[in-house]
Amino acid sequence: MSAHCQLTGAKPGFGKSISHSHRRTPRRFDPNIQRKRYWLAGEGRHVRLTLSTKAIKTVDAIGVEVAVARIRARGGKV
């Protein structure tokens, strides 16, 4: 599963790990991505979305219909 949120567009950030000796090595900061299934009443079917945990809270606040409309407006496939 790719570390990419369909709603917010959150994707991995890159940086350095710094050890006790201050040696720097590359690392990756992944967003907390979850796959969640929602009932889409307007289409009479379930949709499975790949969302960050922040986006899951956003869907709970604005509703799944509005969230799917935003994903489609960004050019995403649902």
Side-chain angles (χ1 to χ4, degrees):
M1 170 173 36
S2 70
H4 178 52
C5 176
Q6 289 181 297
L7 183 61
T8 63
K11 55 188 176 186
F14 296 89
K16 303 282 187 186
S17 287
I18 303 179
S19 69
H20 179 68
S21 66
H22 219 66
R23 187 180 182 105
R24 294 166 191 225
T25 55
R27 66 158 292 179
R28 183 173 142 148
F29 297 90
D30 286 328
N32 189 359
I33 299 294
Q34 309 292 325
R35 284 179 56 96
K36 190 146 171 67
R37 188 172 160 229
Y38 290 100
W39 174 252
L40 196 57
E43 297 180 16
R45 67 184 183 108
H46 284 97
V47 292
R48 190 175 303 276
L49 302 176
T50 305
L51 301 170
S52 63
T53 50
K54 179 182 176 184
I56 291 173
K57 293 175 188 174
T58 302
V59 170
D60 291 343
I62 65 175
V64 68
E65 301 280 347
V66 177
V68 168
R70 286 186 187 177
I71 291 170
R72 288 180 174 152
R74 292 181 77 229
K77 183 181 172 189
V78 177

Coordinates of all heavy atoms in Angstrom, one line a residue:
M1 N 0.8 -1.2 0.0 CA 0.0 0.0 0.0 C 0.9 1.2 0.0 O 1.8 1.3 0.8 CB -0.9 0.0 1.2 CG -1.6 1.2 1.5 SD -2.8 1.1 2.9 CE -2.1 0.0 4.0
S2 N 0.6 2.2 -0.9 CA 1.4 3.4 -0.9 C 1.1 4.3 0.2 O -0.1 4.4 0.7 CB 1.2 4.1 -2.3 OG -0.1 4.7 -2.3
A3 N 2.1 5.0 0.7 CA 1.8 5.9 1.8 C 1.4 7.3 1.3 O 2.1 8.2 1.3 CB 3.1 6.1 2.7
H4 N 0.1 7.3 0.8 CA -0.4 8.5 0.2 C -1.9 8.6 0.5 O -2.6 7.6 0.3 CB -0.2 8.4 -1.3 CG -0.7 9.6 -2.1 ND1 -0.5 10.9 -1.8 CD2 -1.6 9.6 -3.2 CE1 -1.1 11.6 -2.6 NE2 -1.8 10.9 -3.5
C5 N -2.3 9.7 1.0 CA -3.7 9.9 1.4 C -4.5 10.5 0.2 O -4.1 11.4 -0.4 CB -3.8 10.9 2.6 SG -5.5 11.3 3.1
Q6 N -5.7 9.8 0.0 CA -6.5 10.2 -1.1 C -7.2 11.6 -0.9 O -7.4 12.3 -1.9 CB -7.6 9.2 -1.4 CG -7.1 7.9 -2.0 CD -8.2 6.9 -2.2 OE1 -8.9 6.5 -1.3 NE2 -8.4 6.6 -3.5
L7 N -7.5 11.9 0.3 CA -8.2 13.2 0.6 C -7.3 14.4 0.8 O -7.5 15.4 0.1 CB -9.1 13.0 1.8 CG -10.0 14.2 2.2 CD1 -11.0 14.5 1.1 CD2 -10.7 13.9 3.5
T8 N -6.3 14.2 1.7 CA -5.5 15.4 2.0 C -4.2 15.4 1.1 O -3.6 16.5 1.0 CB -5.0 15.4 3.4 OG1 -4.2 14.2 3.6 CG2 -6.2 15.4 4.4
G9 N -3.9 14.3 0.4 CA -2.7 14.3 -0.4 C -1.4 14.2 0.5 O -0.3 14.3 -0.1
A10 N -1.5 13.8 1.7 CA -0.4 13.6 2.6 C 0.5 12.5 2.0 O 0.0 11.4 1.7 CB -0.8 13.3 4.0
K11 N 1.8 12.7 2.0 CA 2.7 11.7 1.5 C 4.0 11.7 2.3 O 4.1 12.6 3.1 CB 3.0 11.9 0.0 CG 3.5 13.3 -0.3 CD 3.6 13.5 -1.8 CE 4.0 14.9 -2.1 NZ 4.0 15.2 -3.5
P12 N 4.9 10.8 2.1 CA 6.1 10.7 3.0 C 6.9 12.0 2.9 O 7.1 12.6 1.8 CB 6.8 9.5 2.5 CG 5.8 8.7 1.8 CD 4.8 9.6 1.2
G13 N 7.5 12.4 4.0 CA 8.5 13.4 4.0 C 9.9 12.7 4.2 O 10.0 11.6 4.7
F14 N 10.9 13.4 3.8 CA 12.3 12.8 3.9 C 13.1 13.7 4.7 O 13.0 14.9 4.8 CB 12.8 12.6 2.5 CG 12.1 11.6 1.7 CD1 11.0 12.0 0.9 CD2 12.4 10.3 1.7 CE1 10.3 11.1 0.2 CE2 11.6 9.4 1.0 CZ 10.6 9.8 0.2
G15 N 14.1 13.1 5.4 CA 15.0 13.8 6.3 C 16.2 13.0 6.7 O 16.5 12.0 6.0
K16 N 16.7 13.3 7.8 CA 17.9 12.5 8.3 C 17.6 12.0 9.7 O 17.0 12.7 10.5 CB 19.1 13.4 8.4 CG 19.5 14.1 7.1 CD 20.2 13.1 6.2 CE 20.7 13.9 4.9 NZ 21.3 13.0 4.0
S17 N 18.1 10.8 10.0 CA 18.2 10.3 11.4 C 19.6 10.8 11.9 O 20.6 10.7 11.2 CB 18.1 8.8 11.4 OG 16.8 8.4 11.1
I18 N 19.6 11.3 13.1 CA 20.8 11.7 13.7 C 21.1 10.8 14.9 O 20.4 10.8 15.9 CB 20.8 13.2 14.1 CG1 20.4 14.0 12.9 CG2 22.1 13.7 14.7 CD1 20.3 15.5 13.1
S19 N 22.2 10.1 14.9 CA 22.6 9.2 16.0 C 23.2 10.0 17.1 O 23.5 11.2 17.0 CB 23.6 8.2 15.4 OG 24.8 8.8 15.1
H20 N 23.6 9.3 18.2 CA 24.2 9.9 19.3 C 25.6 10.5 18.9 O 25.9 11.6 19.5 CB 24.4 8.8 20.4 CG 25.1 9.4 21.7 ND1 24.5 10.3 22.5 CD2 26.3 9.1 22.2 CE1 25.3 10.6 23.5 NE2 26.4 9.9 23.3
S21 N 26.3 9.9 18.0 CA 27.5 10.5 17.6 C 27.4 11.6 16.5 O 28.3 12.1 16.0 CB 28.4 9.4 17.0 OG 27.8 8.9 15.8
H22 N 26.1 11.9 16.2 CA 25.7 12.9 15.3 C 26.0 12.6 13.8 O 26.1 13.4 13.0 CB 26.4 14.3 15.6 CG 25.4 15.4 15.4 ND1 24.3 15.6 16.2 CD2 25.4 16.5 14.5 CE1 23.7 16.7 15.8 NE2 24.4 17.2 14.8
R23 N 26.1 11.3 13.6 CA 26.2 10.8 12.2 C 24.8 10.8 11.6 O 23.8 10.4 12.2 CB 26.7 9.3 12.2 CG 27.0 8.8 10.9 CD 27.6 7.4 11.1 NE 27.9 6.9 9.8 CZ 29.2 6.7 9.4 NH1 30.2 7.1 10.2 NH2 29.4 6.2 8.2
R24 N 24.7 11.3 10.4 CA 23.4 11.5 9.7 C 23.1 10.4 8.6 O 24.0 10.2 7.8 CB 23.3 12.9 9.1 CG 23.3 13.9 10.2 CD 23.5 15.3 9.6 NE 23.7 16.2 10.7 CZ 23.2 17.4 10.8 NH1 22.4 17.8 9.9 NH2 23.4 18.2 11.9
T25 N 22.0 9.8 8.7 CA 21.6 8.8 7.7 C 20.2 9.2 7.2 O 19.4 9.7 7.9 CB 21.6 7.4 8.3 OG1 20.8 7.3 9.4 CG2 23.0 7.0 8.6
P26 N 19.9 8.9 5.9 CA 18.6 9.2 5.4 C 17.5 8.4 6.0 O 17.7 7.2 6.4 CB 18.7 8.9 3.9 CG 20.1 8.4 3.6 CD 20.8 8.3 4.9
R27 N 16.3 9.0 6.2 CA 15.1 8.3 6.7 C 13.9 8.9 6.0 O 14.0 9.9 5.3 CB 15.1 8.4 8.2 CG 14.8 9.8 8.7 CD 14.2 9.7 10.1 NE 12.9 9.2 10.0 CZ 12.1 9.1 11.1 NH1 12.5 9.4 12.3 NH2 10.9 8.6 11.0
R28 N 12.8 8.2 6.3 CA 11.5 8.6 5.7 C 10.5 8.7 6.8 O 10.3 7.9 7.6 CB 11.2 7.5 4.7 CG 9.9 7.7 3.9 CD 9.9 6.5 2.9 NE 8.5 6.1 2.7 CZ 8.0 5.6 1.6 NH1 8.8 5.5 0.6 NH2 6.8 5.3 1.5
F29 N 9.7 9.8 6.8 CA 8.6 10.1 7.7 C 7.3 9.8 7.0 O 6.8 10.5 6.2 CB 8.6 11.5 8.2 CG 9.8 11.9 8.9 CD1 10.9 12.5 8.2 CD2 9.9 11.8 10.3 CE1 12.1 12.9 8.9 CE2 11.1 12.2 11.0 CZ 12.1 12.7 10.3
D30 N 6.7 8.6 7.3 CA 5.5 8.2 6.7 C 4.3 8.7 7.4 O 4.2 8.7 8.7 CB 5.4 6.7 6.6 CG 6.3 6.0 5.6 OD1 6.5 6.7 4.5 OD2 6.8 4.9 5.8
P31 N 3.2 9.2 6.7 CA 2.0 9.5 7.4 C 1.3 8.2 7.9 O 1.5 7.2 7.3 CB 1.2 10.2 6.3 CG 1.7 9.7 5.0 CD 3.2 9.4 5.3
N32 N 0.4 8.4 8.8 CA -0.3 7.2 9.4 C -1.5 6.9 8.4 O -2.6 7.5 8.5 CB -0.8 7.5 10.8 CG -1.4 6.3 11.5 OD1 -1.5 5.3 10.9 ND2 -1.8 6.5 12.7
I33 N -1.3 6.0 7.5 CA -2.2 5.7 6.4 C -3.0 4.5 6.8 O -2.5 3.5 7.2 CB -1.5 5.5 5.1 CG1 -0.8 6.8 4.6 CG2 -2.5 5.1 4.0 CD1 -1.7 7.9 4.3
Q34 N -4.4 4.6 6.7 CA -5.3 3.5 7.0 C -6.2 3.3 5.8 O -6.5 4.2 5.1 CB -6.1 3.8 8.2 CG -5.3 4.2 9.4 CD -4.5 3.1 10.0 OE1 -4.9 1.9 10.0 NE2 -3.3 3.4 10.5
R35 N -6.6 2.0 5.6 CA -7.7 1.8 4.6 C -9.0 1.7 5.3 O -9.1 0.9 6.2 CB -7.4 0.5 3.8 CG -6.3 0.7 2.8 CD -5.9 -0.5 2.0 NE -7.1 -1.1 1.3 CZ -7.4 -0.9 0.1 NH1 -6.7 -0.1 -0.7 NH2 -8.4 -1.6 -0.5
K36 N -10.0 2.4 4.9 CA -11.3 2.5 5.6 C -12.4 2.3 4.6 O -12.3 2.9 3.5 CB -11.4 3.8 6.4 CG -12.6 3.8 7.3 CD -12.2 4.6 8.6 CE -13.4 4.8 9.4 NZ -14.0 3.6 10.0
R37 N -13.4 1.6 5.0 CA -14.6 1.3 4.1 C -15.7 2.2 4.6 O -16.1 2.1 5.7 CB -14.9 -0.2 4.2 CG -15.9 -0.6 3.2 CD -15.9 -2.1 3.2 NE -17.2 -2.6 2.7 CZ -18.0 -3.5 3.2 NH1 -17.7 -4.0 4.4 NH2 -19.1 -3.8 2.7
Y38 N -16.3 2.9 3.6 CA -17.5 3.8 3.9 C -18.7 3.4 3.0 O -18.5 3.0 1.9 CB -17.2 5.2 3.7 CG -16.2 5.9 4.7 CD1 -14.8 6.0 4.3 CD2 -16.6 6.3 5.9 CE1 -14.0 6.6 5.2 CE2 -15.7 6.9 6.8 CZ -14.4 7.0 6.4 OH -13.5 7.6 7.3
W39 N -19.9 3.6 3.6 CA -21.1 3.4 2.8 C -21.4 4.7 2.0 O -21.5 5.8 2.7 CB -22.3 3.0 3.6 CG -23.6 2.9 2.9 CD1 -24.6 3.8 3.0 CD2 -23.9 2.0 1.9 NE1 -25.6 3.4 2.2 CE2 -25.2 2.3 1.5 CE3 -23.3 0.9 1.4 CZ2 -25.9 1.6 0.5 CZ3 -24.0 0.1 0.4 CH2 -25.3 0.5 0.0
L40 N -21.5 4.7 0.7 CA -21.8 5.8 -0.1 C -23.2 5.7 -0.5 O -23.6 5.0 -1.5 CB -20.8 5.9 -1.3 CG -20.7 7.1 -2.1 CD1 -20.2 8.3 -1.2 CD2 -19.7 7.0 -3.2
A41 N -24.1 6.4 0.3 CA -25.5 6.2 0.1 C -26.0 6.7 -1.3 O -26.9 6.2 -1.9 CB -26.3 7.0 1.2
G42 N -25.4 7.8 -1.8 CA -25.8 8.4 -3.1 C -25.6 7.4 -4.2 O -26.4 7.5 -5.2
E43 N -24.7 6.5 -4.1 CA -24.4 5.5 -5.2 C -24.8 4.1 -4.8 O -24.7 3.2 -5.6 CB -22.9 5.5 -5.6 CG -22.5 6.9 -6.1 CD -21.0 6.9 -6.5 OE1 -20.4 5.8 -6.6 OE2 -20.5 8.0 -6.7
G44 N -25.3 4.0 -3.5 CA -25.8 2.7 -3.1 C -24.7 1.6 -3.0 O -24.9 0.4 -3.3
R45 N -23.5 2.0 -2.6 CA -22.4 1.0 -2.6 C -21.3 1.4 -1.5 O -21.4 2.6 -1.0 CB -21.7 0.9 -3.9 CG -20.9 2.2 -4.4 CD -20.3 2.0 -5.8 NE -19.6 3.2 -6.1 CZ -18.3 3.3 -6.2 NH1 -17.6 2.2 -5.9 NH2 -17.7 4.4 -6.5
H46 N -20.5 0.5 -1.2 CA -19.4 0.8 -0.3 C -18.2 1.3 -1.1 O -18.0 0.9 -2.3 CB -18.9 -0.5 0.5 CG -19.9 -0.8 1.6 ND1 -20.8 -1.8 1.4 CD2 -20.0 -0.3 2.8 CE1 -21.5 -1.9 2.6 NE2 -21.0 -1.0 3.4
V47 N -17.4 2.2 -0.5 CA -16.1 2.6 -1.1 C -15.0 2.4 -0.1 O -15.2 2.5 1.1 CB -16.1 4.1 -1.6 CG1 -17.1 4.3 -2.7 CG2 -16.5 5.0 -0.4
R48 N -13.9 2.0 -0.6 CA -12.7 1.8 0.3 C -11.7 2.9 0.0 O -11.3 3.0 -1.2 CB -12.1 0.4 0.1 CG -11.0 0.1 1.1 CD -10.5 -1.3 0.9 NE -11.5 -2.4 1.0 CZ -12.0 -2.9 2.1 NH1 -11.6 -2.5 3.3 NH2 -12.9 -3.9 2.1
L49 N -11.4 3.7 1.0 CA -10.5 4.8 0.8 C -9.2 4.6 1.6 O -9.2 4.0 2.6 CB -11.2 6.1 1.3 CG -12.5 6.5 0.7 CD1 -13.1 7.7 1.3 CD2 -12.3 6.7 -0.8
T50 N -8.1 5.1 1.0 CA -6.8 5.1 1.7 C -6.6 6.5 2.3 O -6.4 7.5 1.5 CB -5.7 4.8 0.7 OG1 -6.1 3.5 0.1 CG2 -4.4 4.7 1.4
L51 N -6.8 6.6 3.6 CA -6.8 7.9 4.2 C -5.8 8.0 5.4 O -5.5 7.0 6.0 CB -8.2 8.2 4.8 CG -9.3 8.2 3.9 CD1 -10.6 8.2 4.7 CD2 -9.3 9.3 2.9
S52 N -5.3 9.2 5.6 CA -4.5 9.4 6.8 C -5.5 9.5 8.0 O -6.7 9.7 7.8 CB -3.7 10.7 6.7 OG -4.5 11.8 6.6
T53 N -5.0 9.4 9.2 CA -5.8 9.5 10.4 C -6.5 10.8 10.5 O -7.6 11.0 11.0 CB -5.1 9.1 11.7 OG1 -3.9 9.8 11.8 CG2 -4.8 7.6 11.7
K54 N -5.8 11.9 10.1 CA -6.3 13.2 10.1 C -7.5 13.3 9.1 O -8.5 13.9 9.4 CB -5.3 14.2 9.8 CG -5.8 15.7 9.7 CD -4.7 16.6 9.3 CE -5.2 18.0 9.2 NZ -4.2 19.0 8.7
A55 N -7.4 12.7 8.0 CA -8.4 12.7 7.0 C -9.6 11.9 7.4 O -10.8 12.2 7.1 CB -7.9 12.1 5.6
I56 N -9.4 10.8 8.2 CA -10.6 10.1 8.8 C -11.4 11.0 9.7 O -12.6 10.9 9.6 CB -10.1 8.8 9.5 CG1 -9.5 7.8 8.5 CG2 -11.2 8.2 10.3 CD1 -8.8 6.6 9.1
K57 N -10.7 11.8 10.5 CA -11.5 12.7 11.3 C -12.2 13.8 10.5 O -13.3 14.2 10.8 CB -10.5 13.4 12.3 CG -9.9 12.5 13.3 CD -8.9 13.2 14.2 CE -8.2 12.2 15.0 NZ -7.1 12.8 15.8
T58 N -11.6 14.2 9.4 CA -12.2 15.1 8.5 C -13.5 14.5 7.8 O -14.5 15.2 7.8 CB -11.2 15.6 7.4 OG1 -10.1 16.1 8.0 CG2 -11.8 16.6 6.4
V59 N -13.4 13.3 7.4 CA -14.6 12.6 6.8 C -15.7 12.5 7.9 O -16.8 12.7 7.5 CB -14.2 11.2 6.3 CG1 -15.4 10.4 5.9 CG2 -13.2 11.4 5.1
D60 N -15.3 12.2 9.1 CA -16.3 12.2 10.2 C -17.0 13.5 10.4 O -18.2 13.6 10.7 CB -15.7 11.7 11.5 CG -15.3 10.3 11.5 OD1 -15.7 9.5 10.6 OD2 -14.5 9.9 12.3
A61 N -16.3 14.6 10.2 CA -16.8 15.9 10.3 C -17.7 16.4 9.2 O -18.8 16.9 9.3 CB -15.7 16.9 10.6
I62 N -17.2 16.2 7.9 CA -17.8 16.7 6.7 C -18.8 15.8 6.0 O -19.6 16.2 5.3 CB -16.8 17.3 5.7 CG1 -16.0 16.2 5.1 CG2 -16.0 18.4 6.3 CD1 -15.0 16.6 4.0
G63 N -18.6 14.5 6.3 CA -19.4 13.5 5.7 C -18.7 12.8 4.5 O -17.9 13.4 3.8
V64 N -19.1 11.6 4.2 CA -18.4 10.8 3.2 C -18.7 11.3 1.8 O -17.9 11.3 0.9 CB -18.7 9.3 3.4 CG1 -20.1 9.0 3.1 CG2 -17.7 8.5 2.5
E65 N -19.9 11.8 1.6 CA -20.3 12.3 0.3 C -19.5 13.5 -0.2 O -19.0 13.6 -1.3 CB -21.8 12.7 0.3 CG -22.8 11.6 0.6 CD -23.1 10.7 -0.6 OE1 -22.7 11.0 -1.7 OE2 -23.6 9.6 -0.3
V66 N -19.3 14.4 0.8 CA -18.5 15.6 0.5 C -17.0 15.2 0.3 O -16.3 15.7 -0.6 CB -18.6 16.7 1.6 CG1 -17.7 17.9 1.4 CG2 -20.1 17.1 1.8
A67 N -16.5 14.3 1.1 CA -15.2 13.9 1.0 C -14.9 13.2 -0.3 O -13.9 13.5 -1.0 CB -14.8 12.9 2.1
V68 N -15.8 12.3 -0.8 CA -15.6 11.7 -2.1 C -15.7 12.7 -3.2 O -14.9 12.6 -4.2 CB -16.7 10.6 -2.3 CG1 -16.7 10.1 -3.7 CG2 -16.4 9.4 -1.4
A69 N -16.5 13.7 -3.1 CA -16.6 14.8 -4.1 C -15.2 15.5 -4.2 O -14.8 15.9 -5.2 CB -17.7 15.8 -3.8
R70 N -14.6 15.8 -3.0 CA -13.3 16.4 -3.0 C -12.2 15.6 -3.6 O -11.4 16.1 -4.3 CB -12.9 16.8 -1.5 CG -13.7 17.9 -1.0 CD -13.1 18.3 0.4 NE -14.0 19.3 1.0 CZ -13.8 19.8 2.3 NH1 -12.7 19.3 3.0 NH2 -14.6 20.7 2.8
I71 N -12.3 14.3 -3.3 CA -11.3 13.4 -3.9 C -11.4 13.4 -5.4 O -10.4 13.4 -6.2 CB -11.5 11.9 -3.3 CG1 -11.0 11.9 -1.9 CG2 -10.6 10.9 -4.1 CD1 -11.4 10.6 -1.2
R72 N -12.7 13.3 -5.9 CA -12.9 13.3 -7.4 C -12.5 14.7 -8.0 O -12.0 14.7 -9.1 CB -14.3 13.0 -7.7 CG -14.7 11.5 -7.4 CD -16.1 11.2 -7.7 NE -16.3 9.8 -7.6 CZ -17.5 9.2 -7.2 NH1 -18.5 10.0 -7.0 NH2 -17.6 7.9 -7.1
A73 N -12.7 15.8 -7.2 CA -12.3 17.1 -7.7 C -10.8 17.2 -7.9 O -10.3 17.9 -8.8 CB -12.8 18.2 -6.8
R74 N -10.0 16.5 -7.0 CA -8.6 16.4 -7.1 C -8.1 15.5 -8.3 O -6.9 15.4 -8.5 CB -7.9 15.9 -5.8 CG -8.1 16.9 -4.7 CD -7.5 16.3 -3.4 NE -6.0 16.5 -3.5 CZ -5.1 15.6 -3.3 NH1 -5.4 14.4 -3.0 NH2 -3.8 15.9 -3.4
G75 N -9.0 14.8 -8.9 CA -8.6 13.9 -10.0 C -8.4 12.5 -9.5 O -8.0 11.6 -10.3
G76 N -8.8 12.2 -8.3 CA -8.7 10.8 -7.7 C -9.8 9.9 -8.2 O -10.9 10.3 -8.5
K77 N -9.5 8.6 -8.2 CA -10.5 7.6 -8.6 C -11.1 7.0 -7.3 O -10.4 6.6 -6.4 CB -9.9 6.6 -9.5 CG -10.8 5.5 -10.0 CD -10.1 4.5 -10.8 CE -11.0 3.3 -11.1 NZ -10.3 2.2 -11.7
V78 N -12.4 6.9 -7.3 CA -13.1 6.3 -6.1 C -13.9 5.1 -6.6 O -14.7 5.2 -7.5 CB -14.0 7.3 -5.4 CG1 -14.7 6.6 -4.2 CG2 -13.1 8.4 -4.8

